[in-house]
Amino acid sequence: MKHIYLNLKRFDVPVEFGGVNRLAPVEKWGETVVSLTQDALKKYDPEHVEFVQFLPEAHLLSAASALCADSPVQLGCQGVYRENTAVGGNFGAFTTNLPASAAKALGCSAALIGHCEERNDKKGILREAGVSAAAAVNRLLNQEVKCAVAAGMKVVYCIGETSEEQSDWEKVLGEQLSVGLSGTDRSRVVIAYEPVWSIGPGKKPADKDYISKIASFVKEQTGGMDVVYGGGLKADNAQMLASIPQIDGGLIALTRFQGEIGFYPDEYLEIIRLYLAGE
């Protein structure tokens, strides 16, 4: 099975507010993303590839309302809280947080957990509290994975090393896997590898040999779990990534990186075409 994930981050913010949304008015943005992509994705065999689109919480209802009866699109949230509602327990005292049961009720079948941006946020909060151990972040993420799976969702669990951690990548990634997946149902989880050290303007992208090495390591450490490339599946690397047998898909975000940068549905569909044609 191949997995094509779309992380729409905060691409809903209009240009006049410093964002990149030229696609639709904010109130119709989630609906527009789904409606402009789902019909074109029907040509792919659902037994061979799945498509999950991770949206900010505010857009999940409009996106869900746009799904047709036979839509190949699944919806996901960009994280869940480390605790959840429970019958006879906490019934919803989670102000500002998204419990997994709420995400499920909004139409999500998957959750994105441990993305490098989430890891950085948790590190920053812990740093303010005088805690610097990376293990603390992995333990928090483990709780999130368990909550999402218990709510009946699949999980895309992101791992990756920074430039400071790259020389010790085996230890860093090994702990992210062992702690983050501890006690979880791994059949419900796909690993997304983000080479954090190579992501961003002016940085040299991870090459085929490096990605292959990491993907092989992850499969060895996890007993063969599916691994997707989380460093950005793009038009210019789609065929390269498709040629790596250890990689089972990718995570798409921005589709245009110059000019009017942003997410464009037709370019998203072209990236998918290039990747699946290159297998």
Side-chain angles (χ1 to χ4, degrees):
M1 169 71 79
K2 294 294 183 181
H3 314 273
I4 306 295
Y5 300 124
L6 173 63
N7 179 15
L8 286 159
K9 302 195 179 186
R10 292 308 323 212
F11 299 159
D12 58 328
V13 180
V15 174
E16 58 267 30
F17 292 109
V20 297
N21 176 19
R22 299 175 180 84
L23 183 62
V26 171
E27 67 274 14
K28 294 185 177 181
W29 185 78
E31 168 191 345
T32 302
V33 171
V34 170
S35 63
L36 291 182
T37 59
Q38 63 182 345
D39 286 342
L41 296 176
K42 290 179 182 178
K43 66 181 180 181
Y44 298 107
D45 182 358
E47 298 296 319
H48 175 64
V49 58
E50 67 168 1
F51 304 100
V52 184
Q53 299 178 355
F54 295 97
L55 290 92
E57 182 180 351
H59 302 285
L60 289 170
L61 285 177
S62 68
S65 70
L67 293 172
C68 58
D70 59 345
S71 178
V73 172
Q74 300 176 56
L75 299 181
C77 56
Q78 296 179 337
V80 297
Y81 190 52
R82 64 181 181 275
E83 298 178 28
N84 200 8
T85 58
V87 177
N90 191 328
F91 56 83
F94 299 115
T95 302
T96 80
N97 293 305
L98 178 65
S101 56
K104 183 72 173 179
L106 287 168
C108 292
S109 61
L112 182 68
I113 294 176
H115 188 279
C116 64
E117 292 159 9
E118 182 189 5
R119 286 182 180 272
N120 284 340
D121 178 55
K122 284 181 165 53
K123 287 178 183 177
I125 294 170
L126 290 168
R127 191 179 304 116
E128 289 297 315
V131 178
S132 59
V137 174
N138 293 326
R139 290 194 297 269
L140 291 171
L141 295 174
N142 175 252
Q143 294 173 46
E144 295 176 7
V145 172
K146 289 178 177 176
C147 282
V149 171
M153 291 190 287
K154 295 174 288 186
V155 169
V156 180
Y157 177 60
C158 301
I159 65 169
E161 77 280 32
T162 64
S163 55
E164 294 81 11
E165 297 168 329
Q166 194 177 6
S167 62
D168 205 17
W169 67 267
E170 289 182 90
K171 180 177 183 294
V172 171
L173 299 183
E175 289 180 353
Q176 290 177 358
L177 290 167
S178 63
V179 178
L181 297 176
S182 178
T184 64
D185 179 358
R186 297 188 179 193
S187 69
R188 304 286 295 171
V189 182
V190 171
I191 304 300
Y193 169 61
E194 298 179 279
V196 184
W197 55 270
S198 75
I199 300 173
K203 296 184 179 180
K204 182 180 179 181
D207 62 21
K208 180 176 179 178
D209 288 343
Y210 194 90
I211 296 169
S212 300
K213 176 182 72 173
I214 299 296
S216 295
F217 171 80
V218 173
K219 287 185 178 292
E220 290 167 4
Q221 294 293 306
T222 63
M225 291 176 67
D226 282 358
V227 184
V228 303
Y229 183 64
L233 173 56
K234 310 168 189 176
D236 60 4
N237 68 8
Q239 291 181 318
M240 179 272 285
L241 291 171
S243 71
I244 302 176
Q246 301 92 335
I247 289 292
D248 304 297
L251 190 61
I252 299 170
L254 285 176
T255 59
R256 190 180 303 175
F257 297 86
Q258 51 188 326
E260 292 188 336
I261 68 169
F263 168 77
Y264 296 88
D266 56 334
E267 295 171 0
Y268 160 73
L269 295 171
E270 175 63 7
I271 292 169
I272 291 171
R273 186 194 70 78
L274 288 170
Y275 177 78
L276 293 177
E279 289 185 271

